[in-house]
Amino acid sequence: MSDQTNRTAGDPADADASATEDAFPHGVIHAEGVDEEPIEKNRRLLEGWRGVAIASFATLYSFFHIAALNGLSISAYTGIDLPFLPSLPMETWNFRIVHIAGALILGFLLFSSRLFQDDKPSRDTRLVGYAALALLIPVAISLATAVGFMLKINSGSLPQMGGLTTWAAFPGTEIYDQEVTWFGIPLLIATFGAIVLGWIEDRPRNRIALSDAVLALCAAAVAAYLIPIYGTAARNSVGTPFVPIGVAFAATAGSALILELTRRVAGMALVIITGVFLVYTFTAHLLPGILAVQTPYTWQRFFGFLYTDAGILGATTAVSSTYIILFIIFAAFLQASRVGDYFVNFAFAAAGRARGGPAKVAIFASGLMGMINGTSAGNVVATGSLTIPLMKRVGYSKQTAGAVEAAASTGGQIMPPIMGAGAFIMAEITGIAYTDIAIAAIIPAVLYFVSVYFMVDLEAAKLGMRGMREDELPKFRDMARRAFLFLPILILIAALFMGYSVIRAGTLATVAAAVVSWLTPYRMGGRAIAKAFEMAGKMSIQIIAVCACAGIIVGVISLTGVGARFSSMLLNIAATSQLLAMFFAMCIAILLGMGMPTTAAYAVAASVVAPGLVQLGIPLLTAHFFVFYYAVLSAITPPVALASYAAAGISGANPMATSVTSFKFGLAAFIVPFMFFYNGALLMEGSWFEVLRAAATAIVGVFLLSSGVQGWFIGGRTAWFLRVALVITALFMIEGGWITDLIGLGGAVAIFLVQRLFHPSPDAGFDVRGAD
C-alpha cells in the first residue's frame, strides 16, 4: 500500500484526492445532511395530491402504532365513538395483520418495481396499463367478497360454538364455493398478474403505476379476509387439513406480496433464500438425511399454517410491529432535531486529531449513530457520505476508506441501547428481558469497536498518516455545550433501568426528543412532528417487509422440523469436538446472513443454529448472542457483504475488493464470540472483578491479533514469524483463564523484547526449495 503515500503525478488516486479537496475545501469540517431522508433509486417522488395522500397515510400509519402500543383510545378519553376506527389495544393477530398490510400498501405505492432513470424518458407502456386496469375487476370482486364475509360474521346469524362464531367452509358448502370462486381465484389472478405487469409497466417518477395500485388493493383484501376469519372458530384449525381454503388463498397472495415488496426494498438475496425454503417445503419428502420429512405437505395445509404466529405473524413480525417501529419513530424524531449531524460533528471534535483522523471519526460516529440507527447499510449511508471523502483526502485509498466505514458501521447493530432489530427478536424468542440483553452487549460492542479502532490505527501508523488540523475541526467546547442532545437517549436508558417497559421507555424518549428540539434551531412544532411520523412510516417499510419475509422462512423451519434435526446433527459433531461444533455454527450463521439484512439473518439462524447450541449445554443468552454477532458480521463478509457494497458505492471502489478489505478490518472481531463462549464474564455474568479482568484481557487479545494481522507492533513493522507469534499469542487470550492469559501476556512481552533487542527485518522471507 506504499502507493498511498508516494503517489506519482499520473496516479488516478490524485484525481480522487483533488476531487475530494473540491468537495471539502480546507476550513472547518461541519456535518450537514446526515439526518436527511435517503431517496432510493426506485422510490417515487410524488407531488401534488398524490404526495399529500402518501404523506398522510405514512403519518397515520406510524401514529397508529404508537397509539396502539400505548393503548390510546379516542372514545375512552372523549366519550365520542367514531365509526370504522379499531378499538385499542387490538387483538394480537389482528394488529400484526394490519401492521403488515399497511406496510405493503405504503410500500407498493411508494416503491416502483423498476429503477428510475431520470435522464431517460419513460417508455410507452399504455397497453400494460390497460391490462393493470382490467385487474381492478378481480381485486374488487375479492375485496367485496371479504367485506361481505366480515358483515356476515358480525351479523350474529352464524352458529356459535364455545363462545366463538363458526365458519363452516367445508367442501360442498356455500361458504367454501364463495371462498374459492369469489375470493381466492380473483385474488390470485390480481396478485400475480399485477406483480408480472409491474416488472414491465413504466411510469414517470411522479406517478403511481396502476399495477402497484392493484397490489395495494390486494394487500387490503388479504387483511380484510383474515381479520374476521381469525375471529371465528376457524382460527383453531390453522396448520391442519381442515383450515378454510380461503386462508390458504389469502396466505398465498400475502406471501407473494411480501416477497415482491422485499425484492423492491431489500434486493433479491433474501427473496431467493426464501424461495429455496418454499421449494424445500414441497420437496422435503423426496430428500435424504436430515432434510427429509415423512409425508408431503399439501398447498392448503402449508399456506393455511404460514400466515399464523408460527410463521409470518410470529416473532419477527411481533417485534417489527412493536419495538422496531417504536424506535424507528424515536429515530425519526431525533433526526428531525438534527441529532445525526451533531453526533458526526461531535465525533470529529473528539477523534479528528488522531492519526488517520477521519477513519477514527468514522468509528466514533458510527458507534453514536448506531445507537439511533441500528442498520449497517443505513449507517454507512448516513456517516460515510462525509467520512469516506475525508479519509481519501488524508491518504487512504478508495478501497480502504470504504472498508473502514463499512466495518465501523456494521458495529452499530450491537451497540446498546438501541441495538439492531435482531436484538429485539432475541428478546422475543428467548424471553430474556431486553435490558439484560443490552447490558450483556456492552463489552462485546466495545470489543468490536476497539478491534476496528486498532486495525485502523495500525494501518494509519504503517502509512505514516497525520490527523486533521485543529482549524479543520469543530470546536470540542462548542460540541460540549450541545451535549443536551444526548438527553433523549439518556432518558431511554434511565427509563429502561427504572423498570419501565420498552414500549413506555421508547415513548418517553420520543417525547423527550421533541422537547429537546426546542433548545435547537430546529424546533418541532405540529408540522415537524407530523413530518417525523411521516418519515418513520416510510423508513419502516424495509424492516417490516424483511421481518415478514423472515417469518416465511421461520414458518418453513417450524412446520418441517428441520431446525430440530439440525440441532441433533450439531450434537453429533460436538461429541467429537465442541470447538468444531461452534466453528460449524459460526459458518452456518455467516452463510445464512450473506446478502440478507441482519434481522432476517438472525431470525433464521436463531431457528436453525441456536437451539442446537443450547442443547450442547451453552447458556441461552450466550448461544443466541453467538449467532447474533455472526449474523451482524455477515454484512462485511465476502462474497456478499451489504455494508461493504454500500460503502463502495460512496467511495467509488470495487465492491468485492472493498468487502475483502472490510473483512480484514473486522477480522479481530470474529474471535469475540468465541471469547464470550469460553468466558461468560464478557456478557456481564460474574463478579465485577471477573468482568473487568475478562474485558481487559480480551482487549489485549484483540490488540495482539490486530497487530499480527496488520504487521505493526509497538511502534514498528514486524517480521513474518513475529506476526504469526502475535496471532498465536492472541488466541491464548480467548479462553479467559488465568494460565492462558499469563501465557498470552508472557508471549507478548517476549515478542516485544525480540523486536527491540534483535530488530528482525520486517521484509525477511523464507526459502522454499524443491526438486526440479
Side-chain angles (χ1 to χ4, degrees), residues 246-622:
V247 173
F249 276 117
T252 303
S255 300
L257 293 169
I258 289 167
L259 287 168
E260 172 61 12
L261 183 58
T262 302
R263 182 189 70 80
R264 296 185 185 194
V265 299
M268 282 296 295
L270 180 55
V271 175
I272 292 171
I273 293 170
T274 307
V276 170
F277 274 88
L278 288 173
V279 170
Y280 165 70
T281 304
F282 298 106
T283 59
H285 61 288
L286 304 174
L287 299 176
I290 66 168
L291 297 176
V293 298
Q294 294 298 319
T295 55
Y297 297 104
T298 64
W299 162 78
Q300 184 173 346
R301 183 186 173 193
F302 172 68
F303 281 101
F305 170 86
L306 190 60
Y307 226 103
T308 68
D309 61 357
I312 293 172
L313 302 182
T316 53
T317 296
V319 170
S320 74
S321 63
T322 51
Y323 307 131
I324 293 176
I325 194 163
L326 175 66
F327 282 107
I328 287 174
I329 294 170
F330 174 52
F333 271 69
L334 287 178
Q335 287 177 257
S337 53
R338 300 295 192 271
V339 169
D341 288 347
Y342 171 71
F343 279 174
V344 175
N345 287 321
F346 185 87
F348 270 108
R353 296 170 186 80
R355 61 187 177 195
K360 308 287 179 60
V361 170
I363 298 169
F364 197 3
S366 296
L368 291 172
M369 285 295 292
M371 291 193 295
I372 64 169
N373 188 308
T375 64
S376 52
N379 216 342
V380 167
V381 172
T383 59
S385 56
L386 185 67
T387 58
I388 288 174
L390 287 171
M391 279 188 267
K392 290 159 65 177
R393 189 171 92 178
V394 299
Y396 286 104
S397 68
K398 294 185 294 185
Q399 175 180 316
T400 302
V404 169
E405 180 59 48
S409 293
T410 296
Q413 303 214 45
I414 53 174
M415 187 69 184
I418 308 174
M419 301 158 64
F424 293 110
I425 296 177
M426 190 192 305
E428 184 76 17
I429 293 174
T430 62
I432 299 171
Y434 180 73
T435 49
D436 293 338
I437 292 174
I439 291 172
I442 292 173
I443 295 178
V446 169
L447 289 176
Y448 181 90
F449 282 103
V450 162
S451 69
V452 177
Y453 182 92
F454 285 149
M455 294 292 286
V456 166
D457 184 62
L458 296 174
E459 179 85 2
K462 282 197 304 181
L463 300 176
M465 292 182 176
R466 66 169 180 85
M468 299 177 71
R469 296 194 313 272
E470 186 78 25
D471 60 347
E472 294 179 305
L473 298 170
K475 300 297 182 185
F476 189 82
R477 185 183 305 166
D478 296 338
M479 294 297 104
R481 288 197 190 103
R482 298 175 61 201
F484 58 82
L485 287 171
F486 284 105
L487 272 176
I489 294 174
L490 295 177
I491 288 172
L492 171 67
I493 297 170
L496 286 172
F497 287 99
M498 286 170 64
Y500 286 92
S501 68
V502 176
I503 299 296
R504 186 53 52 87
T507 305
L508 289 173
T510 302
V511 173
V515 173
V516 166
S517 73
W518 280 77
L519 303 175
T520 75
Y522 308 99
R523 297 179 177 180
M524 293 187 70
R527 181 176 296 180
I529 289 173
K531 180 65 178 177
F533 276 117
E534 176 200 339
M535 190 188 303
K538 294 176 180 178
M539 287 165 56
S540 67
I541 294 171
Q542 183 191 53
I543 193 66
I544 293 169
V546 165
C547 285
C549 199
I552 297 175
I553 300 175
V554 173
V556 171
I557 294 168
S558 175
L559 183 64
T560 60
V562 68
R565 295 194 294 277
F566 185 85
S567 298
S568 66
M569 185 181 72
L570 267 186
L571 281 172
N572 293 333
I573 296 175
T576 304
S577 168
Q578 191 177 48
L579 180 61
L580 182 62
M582 297 293 290
F583 180 77
F584 186 68
M586 175 195 78
C587 293
I588 295 297
I590 292 174
L591 285 171
L592 288 172
M594 283 188 181
M596 292 171 64
T598 303
T599 307
Y602 168 70
V604 176
S607 300
V608 176
V609 180
L613 297 179
V614 173
Q615 288 186 30
L616 294 179
I618 298 170
L620 184 65
L621 177 61
T622 304

